[in-house]
């Protein structure tokens, strides 16, 4: 059985042409990208130069390109063809090199075990039927002592109010229907799946949004969005 929710894939594919418009539905992704990039760099010792990095669920390539800009050797995989086409086209503008492929991560892991120094899978786990399977595939792909980064949304009353009612309906930061609260993942669930895949949690940090200053920041509050750093 495929671990792909094609309704979710289609939802993002329909918006594909706007991935790189910083004032579109993808504005939040552009706004949080520097925070994520700096966090990944910091946990990886301050430099990504020469590291082999896989970005799982790369979409239109916002994170993948910024990793490539740091001198990393980047592969990006996704199941939304339209998003990948946009990502490939954007390389013509940026002049960067990223190897984009349309393939499920579980299939990719069969031929690429222990290939990557770093694997990132950000804002994707809450869009798939079986997140544990994705985490396990990511663990297979990373080298021993390699680094893995997962980000998702916590499942509680506050996240429902903030991430769905607030972000989608009141502030309109995201299109209505972007998220399904039932698919949000508590850090304890994430950690259980990760431990089953022989991963050790090294750091967890929350991401918050201030609607008045319209800024995001990383802090200890993991009640809505959070980012985890694991090591194999």
């Amino acid at each position: 059985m495929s671990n792909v929710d094609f309704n979710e894939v289609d939802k993002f594919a329909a918006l594909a042409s706007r991935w790189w418009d910083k004032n579109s539905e993808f504005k939040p992704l552009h706004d949080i990208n520097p925070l994520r990039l700096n966090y990944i760099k910091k946990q990886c010792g301050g430099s990504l130069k020469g590291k082999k990095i896989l970005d799982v669920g790369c979409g239109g390539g916002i994170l993948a390109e910024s990793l490539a800009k740091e001198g990393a050797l980047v592969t990006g995989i996704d199941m939304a063809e339209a998003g990948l086409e946009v990502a490939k086209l954007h390389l013509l503008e940026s002049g960067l090199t990223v190897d984009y492929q349309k393939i499920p991560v579980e299939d990719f892991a069969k031929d690429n075990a222990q290939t990557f120094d770093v694997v990132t899978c950000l804002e994707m786990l809450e869009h798939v039927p079986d997140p544990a399977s994705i985490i396990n595939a990511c663990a297979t792909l990373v080298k021993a002592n390699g680094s893995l980064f997962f980000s998702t949304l916590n499942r509680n009353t506050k996240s429902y109010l903030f991430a769905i009612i607030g972000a989608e309906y009141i502030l309109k930061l995201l299109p209505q229907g972007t998220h399904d609260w039932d698919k949000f993942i508590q850090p304890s669930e994430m950690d259980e799946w990760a431990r089953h895949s022989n991963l050790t949690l090294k750091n967890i940090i929350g991401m918050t949004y201030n609607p008045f200053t319209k800024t995001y920041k990383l802090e200890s509050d993991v009640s809505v969005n959070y980012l985890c750093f694991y090591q194999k």
Side-chain angles (χ1 to χ4, degrees):
M1 192 191 94
S2 160
N3 188 20
V4 178
D5 182 334
F6 286 100
N7 290 330
E8 293 284 324
V9 169
D10 291 346
K11 200 157 65 182
F12 288 98
L15 303 170
S17 63
R18 300 200 283 280
W19 268 104
W20 287 92
D21 177 354
K22 291 180 182 175
N23 295 308
S24 73
E25 298 89 338
F26 296 105
K27 177 175 167 48
L29 282 184
H30 288 279
D31 290 346
I32 66 177
N33 194 55
L35 292 175
R36 291 163 154 186
L37 178 67
N38 288 336
Y39 179 79
I40 291 166
K41 264 175 73 175
K42 182 182 169 189
Q43 304 302 336
C44 291
S47 173
L48 300 175
K49 197 168 177 57
K51 290 193 187 300
K52 287 191 76 175
I53 303 184
L54 174 68
D55 185 22
V56 179
C58 62
I62 296 169
L63 176 66
E65 280 206 10
S66 62
L67 294 167
K69 210 175 273 184
E70 295 289 327
L73 307 166
V74 185
T75 301
I77 63 173
D78 203 288
M79 286 302 290
E81 192 136 357
L84 287 172
E85 289 306 314
V86 169
K88 288 173 187 173
L89 282 170
H90 199 266
L91 291 176
L92 301 176
E93 286 179 43
S94 66
L96 295 165
T97 302
V98 179
D99 176 15
Y100 288 117
Q101 299 182 37
K102 182 186 173 187
I103 184 171
V105 66
E106 291 93 343
D107 291 353
F108 191 72
K110 288 171 189 166
D111 297 323
N112 295 281
Q114 300 195 44
T115 297
F116 296 92
D117 301 299
V118 180
V119 175
T120 61
C121 180
L122 308 186
E123 308 299 317
M124 178 194 154
L125 293 173
E126 70 274 19
H127 298 288
V128 297
D130 183 0
S133 173
I134 303 284
I135 291 171
N136 191 54
C138 290
T140 301
L141 284 154
V142 81
K143 295 174 183 173
N145 302 315
S147 304
L148 299 99
F149 296 89
F150 300 107
S151 73
T152 190
L153 288 136
N154 202 339
R155 190 177 67 258
N156 52 41
T157 308
K158 183 177 175 183
S159 69
Y160 182 77
L161 292 172
F162 279 62
I164 295 185
I165 304 298
E168 294 184 16
Y169 289 86
I170 298 172
L171 299 172
K172 297 193 166 32
L173 296 170
L174 299 166
Q176 290 178 15
T178 297
H179 288 116
D180 176 350
W181 182 80
D182 292 327
K183 290 184 173 178
F184 287 7
I185 298 163
Q186 293 175 342
S188 58
E189 295 168 329
M190 170 91 78
D191 200 48
E192 188 180 347
W193 297 329
R195 282 201 312 272
H196 280 302
S197 299
N198 298 317
L199 302 179
T200 305
L201 181 64
K202 293 294 183 181
N203 186 268
I204 181 170
I205 197 155
M207 185 177 289
T208 59
Y209 178 72
N210 183 323
F212 302 105
T213 59
K214 297 188 176 175
T215 53
Y216 295 85
K217 66 176 178 182
L218 297 181
E219 52 188 6
S220 57
D221 179 3
V222 299
S223 58
V224 184
N225 286 73
Y226 63 96
L227 185 56
C228 305
F229 165 45
Y230 282 92
Q231 230 167 6
K232 184 168 168 182

